[in-house]
């Protein structure tokens, strides 16, 4: 509804914007009340979402249908406020509003529930007369957010039987895809990051309850860009580049398109897709759906064709042009998984080194973790994630961590910040506005904000990629209940960023700015597992941002200063860092381990790492070097070392992924995502499994080095899942010995079939070459080398299908079978489909009694146990159909405690262990290029050979310099940037639009009753220069401070504290908008 | 490049001949079209890519570069420099110096022992260097002017945007030495990861992956 309305409004005079918004907002409840006059049945709306997911064991398909229907309740309206107010205050607001509309016949519907004693942000009002006028008036009240018709919601859950399919056909119809070799290279390629057509205009479509929330929101105004516009800042003098699908020449929304260039093989400059126009509009549109910086100088770079094709080489040439043109801000609403595209990554570094502020979308591959897109995952780029208008992280927004550092290190925190990316309105391709969702949308919101911010700074020399990023992350508002790998530093706050940037002095800062391993959920996953003596060191990958210059270095070495009163001496800390901080940034790896003396101690230890960054002075009088010293507070929770049986070691070292090599997806059905690219780490795509193991009381550590590098006597079980890497001969020998001595081993394998591997090769359009996988889902020939000593082996069979095991529904997604198993072991077999045959010949065949699970107790005295399972998809978050954490639990019970689950032991599917002598074991694919990506193999004449075993990583612990001090209680609140004290920074000067201060005058008609206490004294700063005025103001400030404190404690729940300023801004906005209709002095023509 | 092998050709045929019902779901379909469209349209870009060597100089781009006269004694109060370097910088007079030897006016301190003018260190005979700053310095040598003019006269259309916007010798060298579409093979790999910054006419030597 809103969309249509808006299109008709497209030609309206810009100054009518406010009226238009008011009309729009006003129309919605009106629509409800008009419907109300009809029969109630016609105003009820039904929407349903059908979840396909219930597959009963006899395979008739059931689906769960959730139905909503809602009815408008006659004469009742929900009045939502901007904050939490007591019932008295709420009634006061409503009565004062309705008084002016001269409505008599109304009452507040009493809500008799325990919550009514507490402040609330809504009220239900019954209005029986002149509803239309009263609604409009209510809507105009500064404390009322919106007025919506009251609805009754009916929810029903239904299990539906889908179609009349017989049970035999359902397995075939479930997947209606046919096989051919994969041609799509889409996942490899950089793509523009808006969601596909299905998501366009998507908000509000899912249920009628959301309709009113889909009111088109002007994102620039929600972020209070108008406050800066009023001050005369509109982005002028800032060159902003949009790398996208182009822009048509005479688009009515843009007034300052400096240049359009085309870098594709299509001979046009125009946007045939709408993506680039939308992005440019969010940054710089001057009318309808306003952008942030209408006066900025727009440079349009067309680097995507209308079919969304693009190449690294096009980007390289276009980027060179951007450097030549001295672009200030560059938006890249694009991304791809290939962070090892060196020419591209180097070029992005080159751009930032030339002071181009790069803003990029973090990716639309959420909610899966480990899905960050390049270039947004780079330290020098501002990576932007998406939220909706209710401050939830958008489902599509990609999650951290970065996977560049695996297996030995740990990923960086990304995205950097988040902002609105769901249902945001921006320019339509030819004219008008549309809504779009995706991190593609969030990125230009930040790019526009950055452009606007840059134009507010007098000394532009101070604005550089690092200082801008520092200002954005120091000012961002943290979202409650969301971890840092989803929200980064929090939600963009334009005005606070403005304040910080305008009092900025060049300095270094850290991201994250502190390490508090006890803080949940923000510091997830660190907070999810305490540390203990003997565990693998916990690594935190901190980014150093250096606003002083494009290059910098760390002076001497960072020093570790434990706080003695806070047990800082109970931990050891080692640091590694970039030798040169370039461009504008570098890393600081902090490894934390528990000291031996705390082996059985429990408690909290604190200290800090201190470092000094130096940069050559730029354009300054000959100072030589500038320096900046930063402290990184560290706080950890230590527990006594858990028993061996509780400790699980995850083998990361033998997991390989794209990039650089083609490591195919473990589930062959997922053809539009052919690559295994999420890192295969317990904190990325095995996150659910990790959380599950933690909830079961296991402690999970990560082995980022060869098997020879850990003390097996510490661990109960070594967990190897979906391993693609080869094994050093020394590793095989060591593991054999470890298992004899009581270590247990669980392997979740995956498929490996050379014919299928040849079949799933594809032509990659980006690299313009054929891609042949270097392993299957897992590297079975290598795994077989590892386990052959126990008479075990996996086959090259490829199976798929649903089955039931120990009363659990299971789905086997492209797994292998067990080919050999010792005869005294337990083997479970299932009936599955031969997927290999299906892939190769498009034929369907069912195979009985495929051995999928094996359990074995090694014979030596005190020897460990081994469990094998042929498919890893059921514990992997990506493309998982059904989880099998129960199976992992059962296997861990077996390996850690020797308890064989009776459900498996007495299963009817138990079979005689296969001897597998009839069939040869799988061989490695001839001519594979695994050696190119392997840490184990190296090229050799003939077959690749193992390299010499590398030395195990050795950390050199920093020599502690103990301090006799204690840390502040809240590390998060500690100063994020030096010299910028948020409380002292001047607020934007909005004098001309200062809200009218009127006394409380209940009898006065038309006046809004504004609680006096919330009127801040500091807005009156410019009232005069004379001392009496200052004295008066001082007294007012003190007074208002107390009143604010009083109202806060009385009428607001504590968690709403940070929002206390919002009503003010909203109020200003509305007044500004009202004034804009009268005179358009300094404001951009909107 | 697109239809280079019989296999590729076969693939295209398969695309065209595959019955409609065999087509994958929407996402893949798009990319098939892309592939085809790309193949259809690639003829020209392929030519563009080799233009630097192939095409005769019948096509002049309207460059307006003013070259240095090689007179390094000219008075200059402010210098532009190459800005980006990790350790080194090249100023517009062709001096390469360490960042610490950069004067307030943006010029290299010529009195510093490490500052050198017109230095071609790390550059190969084909005009490709491993250090960007040396490439720029070498390119600024007055005797490189004929080479650069020849390049400008024969520059590919794909580079027209860039090189018509360049105003003088220094800007030309800054832009010419950068890695570009000429520097890569298979898009995501450098032709020569060691010597990738080229002031000369030819792209970096193609090394096997």
């Amino acid at each position: 509804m809103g969309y249509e309305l808006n299109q008709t409004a497209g030609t309206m005079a810009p100054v009518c914007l406010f009226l238009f918004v008011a009309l729009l907002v006003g129309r919605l409840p009106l629509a409800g009340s008009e419907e109300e006059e009809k029969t109630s049945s016609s105003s009820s709306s039904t929407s349903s979402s059908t979840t396909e997911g219930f597959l009963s064991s006899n395979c008739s398909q059931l689906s769960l249908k959730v139905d909503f229907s809602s009815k408008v309740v006659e004469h009742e309206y929900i009045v939502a406020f901007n904050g939490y107010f007591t019932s008295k205050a709420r009634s006061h607001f409503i009565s004062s509003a309705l008084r002016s509309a001269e409505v008599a016949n109304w009452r507040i519907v009493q809500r008799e529930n325990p919550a009514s004693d507490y402040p609330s942000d809504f009220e239900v009002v019954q209005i029986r007369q002149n509803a239309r006028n009263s609604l409009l008036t209510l809507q105009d009240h500064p404390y009322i957010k919106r007025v919506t018709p009251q609805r009754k919601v009916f929810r029903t859950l239904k299990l539906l039987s889908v179609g009349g399919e017989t049970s035999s056909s359902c397995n075939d119809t479930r997947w209606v895809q046919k096989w051919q070799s994969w041609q799509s290279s889409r996942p490899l390629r950089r793509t523009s990051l808006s969601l596909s057509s299905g998501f366009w205009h998507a908000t509000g479509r899912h249920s009628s309850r959301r309709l009113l929330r889909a009111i088109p929101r002007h994102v620039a105004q929600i972020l209070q860009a108008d406050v800066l516009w009023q001050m005369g800042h509109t982005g002028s003098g800032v060159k902003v580049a949009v790398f996208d699908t182009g822009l048509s020449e005479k688009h009515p929304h843009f007034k300052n398109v400096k240049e359009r260039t085309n870098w594709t093989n299509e001979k046009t400059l125009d946007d045939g897709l709408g993506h680039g126009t939308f992005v440019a509009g969010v940054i710089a549109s001057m009318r309808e759906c306003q952008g942030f910086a209408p006066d900025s100088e727009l440079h349009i770079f067309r680097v995507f064709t209308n079919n969304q094709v693009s190449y690294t080489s096009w980007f390289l040439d276009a980027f060179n042009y951007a450097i030549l043109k001295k672009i200030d801000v560059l938006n890249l609403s694009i991304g791809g998984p290939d962070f090892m595209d060196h020419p591209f990554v180097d070029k992005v570094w080159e751009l930032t080194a030339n002071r181009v502020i790069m803003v990029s979308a973090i990716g639309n591959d959420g909610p899966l973790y480990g899905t960050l897109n390049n270039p947004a995952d780079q330290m020098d780029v501002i990576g932007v994630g998406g939220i909706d208008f209710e401050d939830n992280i958008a489902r599509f927004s990609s999650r951290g961590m970065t996977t560049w550092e695996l297996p030995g290190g740990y990923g960086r925190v990304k995205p950097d910040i988040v902002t609105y990316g769901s249902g945001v309105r921006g320019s339509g391709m030819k004219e008008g506005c549309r809504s779009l969702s995706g991190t593609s949308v969030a990125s230009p919101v930040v790019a526009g904000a950055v452009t606007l911010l840059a134009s507010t700074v007098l000394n532009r020399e101070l604005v550089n990629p690092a200082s801008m990023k520092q200002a954005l992350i120091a000012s961002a508002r943290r979202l409650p209940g969301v971890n840092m790998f989803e929200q980064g530093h929090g939600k963009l706050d334009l005005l606070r960023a403005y304040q910080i940037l305008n009092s900025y002095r060049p300095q270094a800062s850290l991201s994250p700015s502190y390490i508090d391993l006890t803080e949940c959920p923000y510091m997830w996953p660190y907070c999810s597992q305490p540390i203990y003596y003997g565990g693998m060191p916990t690594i935190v990958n901190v980014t150093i941002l250096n606003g002083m210059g494009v290059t910098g270095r760390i002076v001497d070495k960072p020093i570790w200063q434990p706080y003695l009163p806070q047990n800082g001496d109970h931990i050891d800390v080692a640091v590694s860092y970039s030798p040169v901080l370039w461009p504008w940034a570098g890393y600081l790896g902090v490894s934390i381990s528990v000291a031996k003396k705390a082996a059985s101690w429990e408690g909290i230890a604190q200290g800090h790492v201190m470092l000094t960054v130096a940069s050559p002075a730029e354009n300054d009088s000959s100072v030589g070097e500038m320096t900046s010293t930063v402290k990184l507070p560290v706080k950890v929770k230590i527990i006594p070392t858990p028993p061996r049986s509780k400790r699980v070691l995850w083998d990361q070292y033998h997991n390989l992924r794209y990039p650089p090599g083609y490591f195919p997806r473990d589930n062959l059905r997922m053809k539009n995502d052919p690559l295994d690219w999420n890192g295969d780490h317990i904190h990325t795509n095995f996150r659910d499994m990790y959380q599950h193991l933690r909830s079961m009381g296991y402690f999970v550590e990560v082995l980022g080095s060869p098997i020879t590098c850990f003390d097996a006597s510490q661990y109960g079980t070594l967990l190897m899942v979906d391993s693609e890497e080869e094994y050093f001969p020394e590793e095989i020998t060591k593991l054999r010995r470890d298992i004899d001595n009581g270590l247990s081993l669980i392997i979740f394998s995956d498929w490996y079939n050379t014919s299928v591997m040849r079949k799933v090769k594809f032509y990659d359009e980006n690299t313009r070459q054929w891609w042949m996988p270097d392993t299957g889902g897992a590297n079975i020939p290598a795994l077989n080398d590892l386990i052959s000593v126990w008479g075990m082996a996996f086959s090259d069979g490829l199976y798929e299908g649903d089955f039931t095991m120990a009363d659990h529904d299971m789905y086997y997604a492209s797994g292998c079978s067990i080919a050999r198993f010792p005869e005294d072991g337990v083997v479970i077999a299932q009936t599955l489909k031969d997927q290999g045959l299906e892939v190769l010949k498009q034929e369907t065949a069912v195979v009985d009694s495929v051995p999928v699970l094996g359990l074995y107790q090694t014979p030596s005295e005190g020897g460990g146990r081994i469990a094998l399972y042929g498919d890893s998809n059921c514990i992997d978050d990506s493309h998982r159909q059904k989880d099998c954490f129960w199976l992992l639990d059962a296997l861990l019970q077996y390996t850690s405690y020797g308890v064989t689950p009776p459900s498996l032991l007495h299963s009817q599917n138990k079979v005689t262990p296969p001897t597998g002598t009839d069939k040869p074991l799988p061989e490695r694919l001839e001519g594979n290029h695994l050696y190119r990506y392997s840490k184990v193999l190296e090229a050799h004449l003939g077959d690749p050979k193992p390299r010499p075993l590398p030395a195990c990583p050795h950390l050199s612990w920093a020599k502690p310099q103990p301090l006799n001090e204690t840390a502040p209680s809240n590390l998060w609140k500690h100063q994020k940037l030096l010299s910028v004290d948020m409380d002292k920074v001047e607020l934007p000067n909005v004098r001309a639009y200062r809200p009218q201060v009127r006394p409380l005058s209940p009898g006065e008609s038309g006046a809004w009753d504004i609680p006096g206490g919330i009127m801040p004294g500091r807005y009156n700063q410019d009232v005069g220069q004379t001392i009496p005025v200052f004295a008066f103001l001082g007294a007012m400030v003190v007074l208002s401070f107390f009143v604010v404190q009083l109202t806060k404690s009385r009428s607001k729940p504590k968690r709403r504290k940070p929002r206390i300023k919002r009503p003010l801004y909203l109020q200003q906005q509305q007044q500004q908008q009202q004034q804009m209709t009268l005179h358009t002095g300094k404001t951009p023509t909107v | 490049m697109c239809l280079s092998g019989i296999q590729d050709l076969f693939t295209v045929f398969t695309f065209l001949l595959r019955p409609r019902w065999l087509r994958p779901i929407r996402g893949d379909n798009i990319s098939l079209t892309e592939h085809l469209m790309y193949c259809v349209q690639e003829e020209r870009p392929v030519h563009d890519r080799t233009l630097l060597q192939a095409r005769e100089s019948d096509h002049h781009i309207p460059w307006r570069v003013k070259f240095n006269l090689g007179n390094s004694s000219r008075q200059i109060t402010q210098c532009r420099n190459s800005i980006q370097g990790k350790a080194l910088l090249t100023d517009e007079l062709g001096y390469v110096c360490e960042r610490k030897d950069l004067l307030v006016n943006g010029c290299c301190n010529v009195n510093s022992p490490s500052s050198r003018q017109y230095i071609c260190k790390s550059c190969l005979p084909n005009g490709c260097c491993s250090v960007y700053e040396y490439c720029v310095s070498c390119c600024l040598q007055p005797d490189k002017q004929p080479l650069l003019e020849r390049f400008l006269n024969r520059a590919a259309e794909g580079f027209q945007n860039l090189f018509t916007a360049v105003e003088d010798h220094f800007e030309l060298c800054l832009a010419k030495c950068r890695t570009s579409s000429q520097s890569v093979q298979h898009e995501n790999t450098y032709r020569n990861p060691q010597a990738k910054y080229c002031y000369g006419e030819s792209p970096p030597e193609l090394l096997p992956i």
Side-chain angles (χ1 to χ4, degrees), chain A residues 307 317 346 350 582 766 768, chain B residues 37 42 178 181 187 190:
Chain A
N307 290 320
D317 292 345
D346 288 350
E350 191 177 333
W582 181 91
N766 192 29
R768 305 169 199 232
Chain B
M37 286 195 58
E42 199 179 39
R178 297 192 194 283
S181 52
E187 297 291 332
Y190 287 117

Side-chain angles (χ1 to χ4, degrees), chain A residues 203 386-389 394 396 419-425 435-438 441-442:
Chain A
T203 355
I387 55 174
D388 63 19
F389 285 116
F396 56 73
T419 194
Y420 304 112
S422 202
V424 170
R425 287 169 56 75
S435 332
L436 203 57
S437 296
V441 177

Side-chain angles (χ1 to χ4, degrees), chain A residues 893-971:
Chain A
Q893 280 284 319
Y894 177 70
T895 57
S896 296
Y897 304 104
V899 181
T900 315
S903 56
L904 296 177
L905 201 57
H906 306 298
S907 167
Q908 56 185 11
N909 294 320
K910 216 172 120 180
V911 294
T912 325
T915 53
T917 40
D918 50 329
K919 248 182 110 182
L921 291 176
E923 297 282 335
R924 289 173 179 82
L925 176 67
E926 214 171 299
N928 75 71
H929 296 133
L930 185 63
Y931 64 88
R932 283 184 191 163
Y933 318 109
S934 169
K935 302 177 287 294
V936 177
L937 296 179
E938 64 186 351
H940 218 267
L941 273 180
D943 285 338
K945 293 271 187 295
R947 300 164 192 267
L949 182 72
C952 291
H954 175 72
L955 289 172
S956 57
W957 303 108
K959 192 170 176 292
Q961 300 184 6
L963 289 179
N964 198 11
E965 56 181 69
T966 53
S969 56
N970 189 339
L971 299 179

